[in-house]
Amino acid sequence: MSTTRHLDDANWAHTRVDPESGHTSAHLLEDHLREVAERASTAFKSSGADWAYLAGLWHDLGKYRRGFQDYIRIVCDAHIEGKLPATSDKSHSAAGALHALAMFQERFGLAGNRAARLLAYVIAGHHAGLSDWTAGLDDR
């Protein structure tokens, strides 16, 4: 269910410009995060639903950044990874991973660090893909 708000007052996740009318419509960030979390949880309901929900809920937290919101309003395209200079005010893909690390550290201390790293790895890779986790490790 989408929330109705004046678009200037809301955070956007994605936008679409109608080619005929030129009208811009936005998918609100809050709705996007919840919808992705629910879909991920459903997809992994047999195992890992809670982890999938958190990954979905936190995957685009960086889109709340003021710089990203300013930029998306200018270009009307949230799928901009690799299309703009990687500056801290416009990028968004690492924020959720950093949030996962901080939340698990705060809640579980050092014991939560390993689990948080796995979750952060998935979240950080949601645009660029996952790098080789085992690169440089021994086969022992």
Side-chain angles (χ1 to χ4, degrees), residues 1-4 27 30-32 34-35:
M1 175 179 228
S2 292
T3 305
T4 303
H27 187 189
E30 182 179 330
D31 296 338
H32 170 67
R34 286 192 179 135
E35 290 164 8

Side-chain angles (χ1 to χ4, degrees), residues 29-107:
L29 183 53
E30 182 179 330
D31 296 338
H32 170 67
L33 294 175
R34 286 192 179 135
E35 290 164 8
V36 171
E38 290 296 330
R39 283 181 167 184
S41 178
T42 299
F44 289 90
K45 65 183 172 191
S46 62
S47 102
D50 292 339
W51 290 96
Y53 186 88
L54 289 177
L57 189 64
W58 294 342
H59 82 283
D60 272 348
L61 286 181
K63 288 186 177 184
Y64 279 109
R65 297 174 68 116
R66 185 75 261 148
F68 186 89
Q69 289 298 310
D70 291 344
Y71 189 77
I72 192 175
R73 281 163 169 76
I74 293 168
V75 299
C76 291
D77 180 5
H79 300 285
I80 56 177
E81 295 296 330
K83 297 179 186 173
L84 71 149
T87 58
S88 62
D89 64 332
K90 295 180 190 119
S91 65
H92 74 276
S93 57
L98 295 172
H99 179 73
L101 292 169
M103 292 300 292
F104 275 64
Q105 177 75 29
E106 179 182 313
R107 179 145 184 176

